Every structure is written in C-alpha cells, then in structure tokens.
Amino acid sequence: MNIVKVLNNNAVVCKGEDGTEKIAMGRGLAFGQKAGMVLDDSRIEKLFVLKNEETNSRFQKFIENIPLEDILLSEKIISHAKQKCSKELDDSIYITLTDHLSAAMERVRKNITVTNPLTSAIKSFYPDEFQLGLDASDIIKQETGITFCIDEIAFITMHFVTAELGESTPEFNSILTFVQKVSDIARSCLKNEVDEESNSWQRFLTHLSFFAQRIMTHKERPDKNAILYEAVAKSFPDAFVSMQKIVDYVQANYSYTVPDDEKTYLMIHLNRLQIEFGKFDT
C-alpha cells in the first residue's frame, strides 16, 4: 500500500490497489516516512477502514494526539463488542469511546472519581449494552491493571447504546429520561413488583427506546390499523387505561400526537406486563 498522509509516528493514511482509503497504525510505523512511499505491511498492528467519509476524516484528526496504546486498547474492546452485539455499531464509536476511555484511565491514575446519576437506569434499561461495558472494564483491567467503578462502566455503556442508535439520533440522556418516566408510569399501574430481567419488561423498554426516538425526531408511524387499535382497546381495557396515562404524559411534555398504531403496540406490551405482574390498578 502507498502512504497518502502521515498522521504521526504511529499512524498513516494509505491506499491499496482497490483504491480504498485506510488508516494503518503501528509503533514507529511512520517514522521517517513520507506521502508516496510504499508502506511496510509487516509493521502494521491495526488497520482501520471507516465507511463514513466524515467520520473517517474526524478519526484521522483525532488520532494525531491520542496515545497509540489507548487507540489499540479501544479497538480491542470495540472488536469484542461487535462480536457480542446483535446490532451494528456506528463508526463514530472509534472516536467517542476511545476519547472517553483515554480520559477515564487518566482520571483513575490521578485518583479522580466520577458519579453517574443514571447508572441504575442504564443498567436496567440496557442490560446487554451494560454487559459490554463490564466486558470493556475487564479488558482494561487485564491490559492495564486499571479498575473502573460501576458509574464509569455506566458511562462506557452509554457509548455502546449511542453507537447502536447512530450519530443522527437524539441526545442519549433525553431518550433515557423518557424511557425512565414512561416505565415509571407503567410500574405505577402494576400491583406487583416488576422483574427487570423478564423478557416482557425488556421488550417493553426496547419499544420505549424506539418510541422516544420517533418522538424526538418527529417521525410518526403511519396510522394503518385503526380497526386493530379498536379491537385491542376493547380486548384489553386495563391496558387501554394505562396506555392513556402514557399518552397523556407524552402530549403534556412533547409536541407529538401519538398515532393509533403506537397506542396499539403500547397496549400489547402493557397487557403482557399485566399478565406477568398482576392486574393494573385502573
């Protein structure tokens, strides 16, 4: 491959025979090298191919001032996450997570502690991603000896969730706040305590996450199933009352008209919760 641009002593932008632009990294890889020279492939420790041109450009600028060890460590964590995650991760995670981990490890070295008021909610609403955060913490401890607290792991988790949603999605905290508020409404309508590990609860939280995205991006479901809505409302009267409480909250706090399709899905989820955790107090 030919060198297109030298980023620092450890990183270059290069192109292969297929014309694809890549970022090659390795200790001392670019020392004494210039654009136009042929890259010694044997010295490459990691090769990045980012699909998004803007993200690729940002990543090139970003890695100029980040220690190589931190970048390679973050890449190892992201590679592990991609193997475990059923959803595609946006390339932006190479920037956001690497930047966060680099700063987080420096905080630990300086004995600076962090607190995350959303830790409990993150752990509850996004258990799969929280496990990725735990895995990341384990990898960091194995590689560096640094141990992260539970609040820091929750911050790491947020990067995985955001990468699943994509860069164009609303602010993560806004989505999380919405999910927390609406799930609290559902809890208040149930007589028995919710098992947060149950499939029905996790499916409900997942639905709320996407519902929040639609509200905050003003994307509405097409109202195609008015007849189904009426049938479900008639069949699940308790779920209908609880659904209406959620709709009232949405209409009071967001400029969004909840369509019948959305109401139908909410009732179906709420009815499942009713079956599992007891009749709604309506």
Side-chain angles (χ1 to χ4, degrees):
M1 292 185 290
N2 292 321
I3 298 174
V4 175
K5 179 182 179 182
V6 174
L7 300 176
N8 55 36
N9 282 340
N10 303 311
V12 301
V13 180
C14 56
K15 281 187 178 181
E17 293 181 358
D18 60 356
T20 301
E21 189 171 274
K22 305 173 184 179
I23 300 173
M25 301 191 70
R27 291 170 180 80
L29 174 72
F31 182 76
Q33 301 297 299
K34 296 180 181 180
M37 290 184 172
V38 177
L39 185 64
D40 183 357
D41 293 352
S42 66
R43 301 181 65 186
I44 298 175
E45 294 183 45
K46 186 56 61 176
L47 202 59
F48 296 87
V49 182
L50 304 187
K51 301 174 184 177
N52 184 282
E53 185 175 339
E54 181 182 350
T55 303
N56 184 41
S57 178
R58 287 171 53 205
F59 187 58
Q60 290 180 27
K61 295 177 181 178
F62 170 74
I63 64 179
E64 290 181 7
N65 301 306
I66 297 291
L68 173 65
E69 292 74 15
D70 292 355
I71 296 172
L72 295 179
L73 178 59
S74 180
E75 195 282 331
K76 184 174 183 178
I77 290 169
I78 294 169
S79 293
H80 170 81
K82 286 185 173 181
Q83 292 177 357
K84 295 288 185 179
C85 187
S86 59
K87 303 173 185 176
E88 185 176 354
L89 299 179
D90 190 272
D91 281 344
S92 61
I93 194 171
Y94 285 105
I95 299 173
T96 59
L97 182 61
T98 304
D99 188 40
H100 180 91
L101 292 180
S102 185
M105 289 188 289
E106 187 63 22
R107 284 195 293 270
V108 174
R109 295 185 186 105
K110 294 180 178 179
N111 295 316
I112 299 174
T113 58
V114 298
T115 57
N116 188 340
L118 298 174
T119 293
S120 179
I122 292 170
K123 184 178 179 180
S124 174
F125 297 158
Y126 300 101
D128 293 340
E129 292 80 1
F130 189 77
Q131 183 59 54
L132 294 178
L134 291 172
D135 292 348
S137 180
D138 288 342
I139 292 172
I140 290 169
K141 185 174 183 179
Q142 293 169 8
E143 295 287 330
T144 68
I146 291 175
T147 300
F148 283 153
C149 65
I150 195 71
D151 284 349
E152 192 67 77
I153 292 172
F155 279 123
I156 294 172
T157 300
M158 293 168 67
H159 289 287
F160 290 118
V161 176
T162 302
E164 288 179 342
L165 298 176
E167 277 194 301
S168 61
T169 56
E171 184 182 355
F172 177 84
N173 284 358
S174 298
I175 293 176
L176 194 61
T177 298
F178 176 88
V179 173
Q180 188 168 18
K181 292 289 187 181
V182 175
S183 65
D184 284 345
I185 294 173
R187 286 177 189 271
S188 70
C189 297
L190 293 169
K191 287 187 175 181
N192 299 321
E193 186 176 347
V194 170
D195 176 7
E196 296 183 350
E197 302 299 323
S198 70
N199 288 333
S200 57
W201 184 250
Q202 290 302 322
R203 288 170 182 165
F204 179 57
L205 295 182
T206 299
H207 177 82
L208 293 184
S209 177
F210 288 105
F211 184 21
Q213 292 177 62
R214 287 190 287 275
I215 290 175
M216 294 171 196
T217 56
H218 304 287
K219 293 181 180 179
E220 297 185 3
R221 288 179 179 273
D223 247 342
K224 296 180 179 179
N225 294 313
I227 296 177
L228 178 60
Y229 163 74
E230 294 173 3
V232 172
K234 185 176 182 180
S235 299
F236 307 142
D238 293 327
F240 172 83
V241 173
S242 299
M243 175 273 294
Q244 194 58 54
K245 291 180 180 180
I246 293 174
V247 171
D248 290 344
Y249 166 78
V250 171
Q251 292 179 342
N253 293 275
Y254 302 90
S255 299
Y256 185 86
T257 301
V258 182
D260 286 346
D261 265 16
E262 192 69 67
K263 293 177 182 178
T264 300
Y265 283 110
L266 283 171
M267 283 189 288
I268 292 172
H269 281 290
L270 291 166
N271 182 65
R272 288 173 181 161
L273 294 175
Q274 173 189 352
I275 293 172
E276 188 166 353
F277 301 112
K279 187 177 180 180
F280 287 89
D281 288 329
T282 55

